[in-house]
Amino acid sequence: MFAEVIIPLALPKNYTWRIPENMLSRLQTGCRVEVNLGKNKKYAGVVKRIHSEKPEFFEPKEILSLLDPEPVIQNFQLELWSWMASYYMCTEGEVMAAALPAHFKLSSETILIFNEEYGDDFSALDNDEYLVAEALLMKHELKLTEVQQILDVAHVYPIVNRLILKKICFVWESLKQSFQPRKESFVLLDPLYDNEEKLSELLNNFGRAPKQMELLLAYLHLIKQQGEVSKPELLKKSGASDAQLKGLSDKGILKIEKRNVDRIIYGPKDIQIDFELNTAQEAALKSLDALFLTKQVCLLHGITSSGKTHIYIRLIERYLRKGQQVLYMLPEIALTSQIIRRLQKHFGGYIGIYHSKFSQNERVEIWNKIKSGELKIVLGARSSLFLPYQDLGFIICDEEHDTSYKQQDPAPRYNARDAAIYLASITQSKVLLGSATPALETYYNAKKEKYGLVELLERFGDVQLPNMELIDTKKIFKKPGEKIMLSSLLLESIHGAVANKKQVILFQNRRGYAPYQVCGMCGTVTGCRQCDVSLTFHKFSNKLVCHYCGTVYPTSATCQACGSDKLVQKNFGTEKIEEMLSEQLPDLRISRMDYDTVKNKNAHDVLIQQFEQKKIDVLVGTQMVVKGLDFDHVGLVGIIDADALLHFADFRVNERAFQMMEQVSGRAGRRGEPGRVMIQALNTLHPVLQHVVRHDYTGMFLEEIEKRKQFFYPPFSRIIQLQFRHRDRDVVTDGANVFARNLGAVYGKYMVGPAEPVINRVRNMFLMEILFKLPRDAMKIATCKEDILKQTAQLHAIPKFRRLVIVPDVDAL
Ligand code: ADP
Ligand code: ZN
Ligand code: ZN
């Protein structure tokens, strides 16, 4: 018998191994096995299929060992992987690499890291495990090849696997290494004193240590109030010293434990629904119920602050009561601590959170709790699609229009919204897409009755949508070449809003200080040496940064080209706005939220909480301030540079600009009096701005869908974008041309390009693109994908193009 095994690599196809006689009865699909690949590489792969078809052209090697007594991957997951690989034109191995937490992926290159939290008590280990654990304790990390040397046995994977399961070590992932979980010491009472009697006995016979007694009482008070007490907090609030705390811990009364601060605390498992829906919400819920009887997918188009989340909560409750699992997907989990807090209030310990910023151990913990059915609700970013649900009933895809649902690099380049719909079809679950500004494709599908459609067009609590005002920056007097950053009207309004005890959000879709600097003498723009883009000046760090490849350059006082010192900074980013604003309105408390200020995992949450608690008057930010946040006191939203949102050479530009402006406007006036939105623009007559001013999604939709039809763009066609990358510009140009010529005969009228993209060089690779716009005919699309892959292989067979990278992106955004 043979096994087809998926290895987490971009192999052209899955390979086959022979199953040893004595393994046959134990091996199941979905189990991991240790296999040799090539001469001396080993991998843990997942068994996809067990069969008796001996491969024709080679003698398969034997599987070395079996790692799992039970499948870790279920059949529906294998089905999802396989669909994803064929739909998004990648390999199942690449999907596997994205789907599994590092713990499940062992290879010769794997490095094991000792888990400090385990301590050094190895009494529960067998001989082999003990040897490795000791080496790990001493050296902190080991390569798998070193483990091989230590153990002197044929197959080390099963032993390593056991060490991981016992949490003695974890697998190091090079890409994720930058994330260091923040640790803090917590103080715990010895469980002996959980008993009231024992505790009062202790307090009555405490003896001569009044300071320690005081400290203990302070501890008992705090723990009762807040459920957990950190060491610094206890020392601060009790005024006690480290030595006094050590005294109590020496006596075995209190224990000090180092813990990962971000570790999820699982609250009690109960459901608390303490609100009623209003009439409109109730009606929407009824319609959804009716539609879900016949539709698998429904769209809830609810304007900003219409109360979509409360409808989600009521639906989640239902599935929970049926005992089914629910996946609540969010575009970017880092941005959603608010939703987490809201849901935890209602569903406590039923909820798990899953995303890539969590440590490996935590991710495996959630993985296992989903598999056992212990956790019922997962709140997660796109990778939460890959969890081993045991009874998935319902998927919510919130802010379904958000481009972060699409993975760009590496493969699989999937859209989690669309993949969720596929996942639902193989698990017989329902999908609810929610948005105030649905993707054009989604709304079109809903209008065509492919999806159920429910619209919620009033704000909760009789709140009005904000008033929209355009500020025409053409009409403002300025020096030649000057660009208006903060008009006096906007400045006055900011001042007025804050004087009225309101808060302000200012939106600028560019971070940094100045997006480019240009030489006043020769006109040279300071650019990245590896990419065809200008560098952004960051004043705080005094560096020039390439936002494409991340390279940081020192600032220079003189022009790269002519040596002149007449460098002029052009345009402005969030950092400059923050600075200008502090100069103009020095009394305000101003903070900035963009990629640069929230690099640290918790920074974002801290900023949001400060804003919620009104410790900040004005929040200046990029896209980050746009997303789904619910604040009580925002009286004014300012969109600083609307023109910049409308100037992209992309068929989705209008849709995107509308979504961004409508979403950020939606943060204004969510309670009580209506808020104000001020939009600064040169081209105030732009149709998108006219739709935004009227909050007219439908108007935008009708206008855009007409253009999509006319120019044969999605949803009328399906697009596959091919990107060619190579260090040599001639090779990339020739390669793309040969490719286009060979497929041109068949796909000519569906093919656009080859052409250089607007940014034609990134990370020292020159780029070319071909775009396929295919009719929505499943057969045709499948054939075209095959042809693209064949043509890619043919091109790679020519020596000149051997290293030409060809990247297909299906439904590229
Ligand atoms: P959306 O997600 O549609 O933008 P939210 O769900 O954030 O809107 O709702 C807007 C505000 O109205 C929130 O502060 C929410 O707490 C409140 N809200 C919505 N529905 C209810 C309800 N049924 N009962 C109490 N408060 C509600
Ligand atoms: Zn110059
Ligand atoms: Zn660069």
Side-chain angles (χ1 to χ4, degrees), residues 657-670:
F658 179 87
Q659 285 164 340
M660 251 186 261
M661 288 191 263
E662 185 61 27
Q663 290 284 348
V664 71
S665 307
R667 305 312 118 207
R670 291 169 76 93

Side-chain angles (χ1 to χ4, degrees), residues 56 165 322:
E56 264 178 64
L165 286 177
K322 277 197 280 185

Side-chain angles (χ1 to χ4, degrees), residues 439 675 805:
V805 180

Side-chain angles (χ1 to χ4, degrees), residues 200-263:
S200 56
E201 197 185 308
L202 171 74
L203 293 173
N204 288 330
N205 304 308
F206 205 79
R208 280 192 327 249
K211 285 286 177 199
Q212 284 186 9
M213 176 81 170
E214 247 174 63
L215 174 56
L216 182 59
L217 288 174
Y219 172 80
L220 292 171
H221 178 71
L222 281 174
I223 194 80
K224 196 161 176 189
Q225 266 191 340
Q226 48 193 55
E228 63 173 6
V229 182
S230 75
K231 181 176 151 187
E233 189 183 9
L234 176 61
L235 293 182
K236 189 162 162 244
K237 293 210 169 143
S238 67
S241 70
D242 232 336
Q244 286 153 0
L245 180 58
K246 185 160 183 304
L248 281 177
S249 108
D250 288 345
K251 286 184 185 158
I253 298 169
L254 291 182
K255 280 197 304 190
I256 298 162
E257 190 181 276
K258 259 206 184 305
R259 243 191 353 226
N260 190 337
V261 185
D262 308 311
R263 169 147 295 166

Side-chain angles (χ1 to χ4, degrees), residues 219-498:
Y219 172 80
L220 292 171
H221 178 71
L222 281 174
I223 194 80
K224 196 161 176 189
Q225 266 191 340
Q226 48 193 55
E228 63 173 6
V229 182
S230 75
K231 181 176 151 187
E233 189 183 9
L234 176 61
L235 293 182
K236 189 162 162 244
K237 293 210 169 143
S238 67
S241 70
D242 232 336
Q244 286 153 0
L245 180 58
K246 185 160 183 304
L248 281 177
S249 108
D250 288 345
K251 286 184 185 158
I253 298 169
L254 291 182
K255 280 197 304 190
I256 298 162
E257 190 181 276
K258 259 206 184 305
R259 243 191 353 226
N260 190 337
V261 185
D262 308 311
R263 169 147 295 166
I264 312 147
I265 316 271
Y266 295 99
K269 284 208 169 72
D270 50 25
I271 305 177
Q272 278 188 22
I273 304 295
D274 51 0
F275 61 88
E276 301 278 327
L277 297 183
N278 70 12
T279 326
Q281 287 170 319
E282 202 62 68
L285 185 63
K286 279 229 170 63
S287 315
L288 283 172
D289 282 338
L291 285 165
F292 272 131
L293 292 176
T294 55
K295 304 272 190 223
Q296 180 148 46
V297 183
C298 286
L299 167 65
L300 175 59
H301 173 214
I303 60 170
T304 57
S305 204
S306 56
K308 295 184 286 297
T309 321
H310 281 70
I311 298 179
Y312 300 157
I313 291 169
R314 286 284 297 276
L315 285 162
I316 294 173
E317 180 199 359
R318 273 198 220 155
Y319 285 91
L320 210 56
R321 293 207 191 276
K322 277 197 280 185
Q324 287 195 294
Q325 288 173 315
V326 175
L327 166 59
Y328 189 136
M329 270 203 309
L330 291 158
E332 261 174 279
I333 199 89
L335 300 180
T336 45
S337 41
Q338 257 194 353
I339 303 252
I340 295 169
R341 272 179 269 137
R342 273 169 86 174
L343 287 192
Q344 264 169 346
K345 204 175 105 199
H346 299 294
F347 303 112
Y350 284 115
I351 305 182
I353 301 159
Y354 191 79
H355 64 81
S356 60
K357 280 198 175 173
F358 276 15
S359 77
Q360 291 299 332
N361 282 335
E362 287 167 322
R363 273 197 272 174
V364 172
E365 210 171 308
I366 305 265
W367 180 284
N368 292 333
K369 284 186 173 162
I370 287 293
K371 188 151 182 250
S372 71
E374 189 187 331
L375 277 184
K376 294 294 181 203
I377 307 170
V378 181
L379 204 62
R382 53 178 184 249
S383 60
S384 52
L385 277 177
F386 296 118
L387 286 166
Y389 300 97
Q390 51 107 52
D391 186 6
L392 185 62
F394 188 43
I395 304 176
I396 295 167
C397 182
D398 198 9
E399 311 291 354
E400 63 84 31
H401 63 278
D402 197 299
T403 49
S404 319
Y405 277 123
K406 181 74 162 56
Q407 167 146 324
Q408 301 293 354
D409 254 322
R413 296 177 177 79
Y414 65 106
N415 187 317
R417 172 195 64 210
D418 302 336
I421 292 172
Y422 184 80
L423 174 63
S425 76
I426 55 178
T427 53
Q428 277 83 52
S429 10
K430 302 286 183 187
V431 182
L432 180 60
L433 310 174
S435 176
T437 53
L440 231 62
E441 284 93 332
T442 304
Y443 200 69
Y444 180 78
N445 280 332
K447 280 287 180 199
K448 290 265 158 200
E449 292 181 30
K450 188 172 162 196
Y451 303 159
L453 174 62
V454 173
E455 304 200 75
L456 193 57
L457 301 177
E458 61 186 67
R459 282 187 146 186
F460 180 79
D462 288 329
V463 177
Q464 297 301 305
L465 278 168
N467 296 320
M468 311 292 284
E469 298 157 52
L470 287 172
I471 299 177
D472 189 339
T473 50
K474 278 194 306 296
K475 297 199 180 135
I476 301 175
F477 174 79
K478 47 192 172 291
K479 292 181 231 129
E482 188 194 5
K483 232 183 135 159
I484 295 295
M485 188 158 56
L486 295 165
S487 60
S488 49
L489 187 54
L490 181 58
L491 274 173
E492 275 160 32
S493 309
I494 295 171
H495 187 76
V498 176

Side-chain angles (χ1 to χ4, degrees), residues 518-524 558-564 566-567:
V518 56
C519 171
M521 294 299 287
C522 75
T524 301
T558 52
C559 168
Q560 292 167 324
C562 74
S564 136
K566 300 238 166 355
L567 290 177

